[in-house]
Amino acid sequence: MQQSLQNLVAQSYGLGDFSFRPFGEGLIHETFLVESKIGKFVLQGFNDQVFQYPDRIASNLAQLKAEIDIDRLPYELPLPKLTEAGESLFDEDGKLYRLFDFVEGVTVQETSDPKLAFLAGKAYGEFAKATATFDMRLFQETIPDFHRLDLRYERLQMVAGAKASWTEEESDILRFYLCQNPLIENYKAQTKNLPLRLTHNDTKINNLIFSQNLKQVAALIDLDTVMPGYLLYDFGDLVRTVACSRSEINTQWSDIQLDLSIFEALLEGYFEGILPTVSAVELQSLLIGGEIMTCMMGLRFFTDHLQGNIYYKVDYPEQNLHRAKNQMILLRDQQEKRSQLQLIWEKTTLSRQ
Ligand code: GN1
Ligand code: MG
């Protein structure tokens, strides 16, 4: 971190001297842990290529803060701290930064423990319950069309159409994603009947901070993509990222599959958190959420690979291709397990209605 940035952080938030180190696993913002005499904070270099409407994020979060009944939420929602000038972002040399209070606790990158999956599902369900009556006209899309599966599919078709030479591995992956037409149609049909709700839209387990003993959720973070969406987006991204036997960067292809016991724990937790503020069509839609979000991320990773890795940070040039292949295997496994997932869904919903 440059000295001029350090000085500005110290000044803007009245921190005095501090030490810092890189922090977190996010792919989008650059993040540091800041330790000063007055406490610990998280400093983020804001990625305004990805988030082109910082004002919309600020407006959504202000609206969320004004409307939410904190007592209905059993964990913290850390929002950007205001600078001494009253702003939630500051500018240093053309780049935007912001500071958050650090929440003590533990972050988990992946889990095979159904108890943790239950807690994660419940926490995201509670977020949807606590915001169930909010007027969606007061919230804006912070990334337009972020989870529009149909548009992500069209984008891949366009980018692929412009590419001249293909490796065999790339052609196989392309063929797989182009064959997902029925899922795209299913997505369009289902979402026609669903109400817009306030969704988090990035419901990985590492966006939760657990208490030290892992018995409860202490905070829900990464709120930039909080915007109107469908419940299946949040539940689906939980399935994609928590109910998978390996993380999205894993390249041991034969190890990648959907874990049914984690799926069940997520569903039970999500119900526990959201009931009774969920309609029958929404409940039904959760079942296809995992496929939709896995396909979405596969399309996004693959398109980014074809475009030369312009969006996601990569550790090596083929990484986005490999992430797309990882998601392809996970999606295929979910499709093969449809009837088992349906049975789990029936058992869980029936026992709760
Ligand atoms: C990005 O940076 P991170 O991990 O919070 C992405 C999510 C993806 C995720 C995949 C704004 O989130 O949509 O699910 O990577 N966020 C944005 O790891 O594109
Ligand atoms: Mg995120």
Side-chain angles (χ1 to χ4, degrees):
M1 194 189 300
Q2 292 192 332
Q3 192 60 47
S4 52
L5 173 59
Q6 281 188 56
N7 295 344
L8 199 56
V9 173
Q11 239 174 49
S12 308
Y13 300 94
L15 296 192
D17 286 345
F18 62 84
S19 63
F20 61 88
R21 59 177 167 86
F23 186 66
E25 306 281 328
L27 296 180
I28 305 292
H29 300 302
E30 183 191 8
T31 309
F32 300 95
L33 177 67
V34 164
E35 296 187 68
S36 78
K37 285 204 188 74
I38 63 165
K40 284 193 198 173
F41 303 91
V42 174
L43 177 71
Q44 263 185 357
F46 186 84
N47 183 333
D48 60 3
Q49 291 292 104
V50 167
F51 289 101
Q52 298 187 356
Y53 305 99
D55 50 326
R56 296 188 188 177
I57 297 177
S59 152
N60 283 356
L61 295 184
Q63 186 63 30
L64 175 64
K65 193 175 174 185
E67 272 201 72
I68 200 149
D69 176 357
I70 285 296
D71 298 335
R72 286 194 70 178
L73 212 57
Y75 49 74
E76 290 178 52
L77 279 181
L79 299 177
K81 292 177 76 65
L82 297 186
T83 63
E84 293 193 338
E87 304 288 342
S88 59
L89 285 157
F90 68 91
D91 184 314
E92 153 67 12
D93 203 16
K95 187 165 166 65
L96 295 171
Y97 292 86
R98 58 194 177 166
L99 194 76
F100 297 85
D101 283 321
F102 173 79
V103 178
E104 286 297 341
V106 187
T107 50
V108 173
Q109 297 309 325
E110 42 195 289
T111 188
S112 51
D113 179 354
K115 288 201 274 321
L116 277 188
F118 177 89
L119 286 180
K122 184 167 169 229
Y124 285 111
E126 274 161 343
F127 179 79
K129 179 164 69 188
T131 57
T133 57
F134 288 15
D135 182 350
M136 281 310 106
R137 288 169 301 190
L138 304 177
F139 290 87
Q140 307 173 61
E141 282 197 306
T142 62
I143 301 180
D145 301 326
F146 189 47
H147 282 161
R148 282 284 303 273
L149 185 67
D150 50 338
L151 302 183
R152 299 281 185 193
Y153 181 84
E154 284 171 22
R155 175 109 202 115
L156 173 65
Q157 284 179 309
M158 219 176 75
V159 171
K163 181 176 160 77
S165 68
W166 292 78
T167 65
E168 205 180 313
E169 192 178 34
E170 286 173 331
S171 306
D172 286 349
I173 297 175
L174 178 69
R175 207 170 310 118
F176 173 82
Y177 283 112
L178 292 183
C179 284
Q180 292 306 313
N181 232 333
L183 181 60
I184 315 292
E185 291 308 316
N186 189 350
Y187 161 83
K188 288 201 277 191
Q190 296 241 9
T191 51
K192 242 189 241 155
N193 302 318
L194 292 173
L196 279 175
R197 315 256 299 217
L198 199 65
T199 44
H200 180 278
N201 296 305
D202 191 11
T203 56
K204 292 183 291 201
I205 201 162
N206 67 8
N207 280 331
L208 296 169
I209 298 175
F210 288 90
S211 60
Q212 291 289 351
N213 64 5
L214 294 175
K215 294 265 190 277
Q216 60 194 49
V217 169
L220 170 56
I221 61 169
D222 197 1
L223 304 174
D224 296 331
T225 51
V226 166
M227 60 177 135
Y230 303 114
L231 290 186
L232 72 87
Y233 294 160
D234 277 2
F235 183 71
D237 213 35
L238 272 167
V239 173
R240 179 184 83 80
T241 58
V242 187
C244 52
S245 56
R246 295 289 181 270
S247 82
E248 69 188 16
I249 59 170
N250 193 287
T251 55
Q252 298 300 313
W253 312 126
S254 57
D255 291 348
I256 299 168
Q257 53 163 312
L258 188 85
D259 183 325
L260 292 171
S261 61
I262 297 286
F263 175 85
E264 183 166 352
L266 285 173
L267 198 56
E268 283 184 350
Y270 199 73
F271 281 177
E272 176 99 1
I274 200 172
L275 285 176
T277 62
V278 61
S279 64
V281 271
E282 283 177 307
L283 271 189
Q284 178 65 45
S285 76
L286 299 184
L287 194 47
I288 200 72
E291 284 190 36
I292 287 174
M293 296 309 287
T294 309
C295 184
M296 179 105 56
M297 279 316 300
L299 291 169
R300 292 177 66 192
F301 286 142
F302 194 45
T303 305
D304 198 32
H305 164 73
L306 298 178
Q307 290 187 302
N309 308 321
I310 52 180
Y311 192 93
Y312 294 109
K313 283 185 215 157
V314 285
D315 295 328
Y316 58 94
E318 303 303 303
Q319 190 169 26
N320 276 320
L321 176 70
H322 289 165
R323 287 172 173 147
K325 183 165 175 172
N326 169 308
Q327 299 292 286
M328 170 179 94
I329 296 169
L330 181 64
L331 176 53
R332 192 183 279 145
D333 194 48
Q334 289 176 70
Q335 295 181 332
E336 283 165 8
K337 288 179 174 151
R338 269 185 189 160
S339 55
Q340 285 152 284
L341 297 179
Q342 171 82 34
L343 285 177
I344 294 172
W345 183 91
E346 280 167 14
K347 187 177 99 187
T348 316
T349 45
L350 289 179
S351 69
R352 296 223 167 229
Q353 275 168 357

